[in-house]
């Protein structure tokens, strides 16, 4: 059911986002404790601010009230994906080339399942991460999770 709700929410919010120059980064519909949360992560060139989040939230809330696709009570949250933005779509990986990333894989590659370093290349089939002097070429099909990483 969660996947269906995410698809419905995407269909409802995408026209507004596209018309206003926003990018849909991710949608989560999760239960935490006894509460359900619908989280919509958006971004735009130059970043989003609280006013942007408020406008998107108002629009989406009205659409959700009109269509009523979610049978349970939930909290709607609209926010930026943050500094450690997830990399989910090919475009996310393409824009992350040259940046510090953290990736995990479903099974070991080069004897490990966690990789942190600079994403030096992405071609849709593989992502190359340079950690120190070693480069790891990871098949995209084996990547379980990926995000930008803050270097401390």
């Amino acid at each position: 059911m969660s996947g269906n709700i995410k698809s419905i929410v995407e269909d409802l919010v995408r026209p507004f986002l596209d018309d206003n120059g926003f990018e849909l980064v991710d949608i989560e519909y999760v239960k935490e404790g006894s509460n359900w949360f619908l989280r919509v992560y958006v971004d735009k060139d130059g970043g989003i601010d609280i006013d942007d989040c408020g406008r998107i939230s108002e629009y989406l809330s009205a659409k959700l009230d009109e269509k009523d696709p979610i049978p349970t009570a939930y909290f709607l949250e609209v926010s930026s994906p943050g500094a450690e933005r997830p990399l989910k779509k090919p475009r996310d990986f393409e824009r992350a080339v040259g940046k510090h990333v953290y990736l995990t894989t479903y099974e070991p590659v080069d004897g490990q399942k966690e990789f942190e370093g600079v994403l030096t290349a992405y071609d849709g089939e593989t992502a190359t991460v340079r950690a120190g002097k070693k480069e790891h070429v990871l098949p995209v099909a084996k990547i379980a999770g990926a995000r930008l990483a803050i270097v401390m």
Side-chain angles (χ1 to χ4, degrees), residues 8-20:
I8 291 167
V9 170
E10 180 173 351
D11 290 345
L12 291 174
V13 76
R14 184 160 303 281
F16 181 84
L17 298 179
D18 290 347
D19 289 349
N20 291 281

Side-chain angles (χ1 to χ4, degrees), residues 3-4 10 22 35 37 45 52 54 60 62 76 93 106 108 112-114 120 140 144 148:
N4 189 35
E10 180 173 351
F22 295 108
N35 297 314
F37 291 86
D45 289 340
D52 294 329
L60 182 55
L76 173 61
F93 282 90
Y106 292 110
Q112 62 191 72
K113 291 175 73 175
E114 295 183 20
T120 58
V140 170
L148 294 178

